[in-house]
Amino acid sequence: MGSKVEDFLTATEEQQIIAAIRKAERTTSGEIRVHLESHCAGDAYARAQEIFHLLKMDNTKDENGILFYIAVTDRKFAIIGDYGIHQHVGDDFWVSI
C-alpha cells in the first residue's frame, strides 16, 4: 500500500494536472509546479518558500514562477508566486486564494 502522498491523486488525476500545467504554460511565460509531501511540521507558507527556493523557482528569467504546495496528511496548502507574478496579479489575488 502506498503512502498518503502517493494515494492522494489517481494516475488519471495526475495526468490531468500535468496537462493543465502544460496548457497554462503555453499561454504564459510563467513556470508552474505542484509539490506534494506528506507532512509539514510548521507553517505551510514558510515550507512552500523553502521548496520554491530548493526547486530554483526563484531563478526564472522573468521572476514568474508559481508553486502550489500541499502537505497531504497535515491538510496544509500554500501558493507561492515570484515577484513577476505578484506584479501582475497584486495583493487582492493572493488574499482571495
Side-chain angles (χ1 to χ4, degrees):
M1 182 168 196
S3 73
K4 285 195 175 193
V5 171
E6 292 167 340
D7 295 335
F8 186 69
L9 299 171
T10 66
T12 300
E13 290 169 334
E14 184 176 347
Q15 290 305 310
Q16 289 171 334
I17 290 170
I18 291 168
I21 290 170
R22 286 183 179 147
K23 181 179 178 183
E25 287 181 339
R26 279 195 301 269
T27 61
T28 180
S29 62
E31 181 178 332
I32 304 165
R33 292 201 184 171
V34 176
H35 182 84
L36 303 175
E37 60 186 11
S38 184
H39 294 285
C40 175
D43 179 65
Y45 186 78
R47 178 63 179 149
Q49 287 178 307
E50 289 177 32
I51 297 297
F52 193 86
H53 180 70
L54 289 171
L55 294 174
K56 299 187 184 324
M57 294 188 71
D58 49 0
N59 289 337
T60 60
K61 177 184 169 197
D62 295 323
E63 298 179 307
N64 59 357
I66 189 163
L67 173 70
F68 294 85
Y69 169 81
I70 304 167
V72 175
T73 302
D74 296 331
R75 301 182 73 172
K76 295 181 179 181
F77 173 79
I79 299 175
I80 301 290
D82 209 348
Y83 182 73
I85 296 288
H86 178 71
Q87 276 190 308
H88 184 70
V89 300
D91 289 336
D92 290 342
F93 174 79
W94 303 113
V95 171
S96 71
I97 288 178

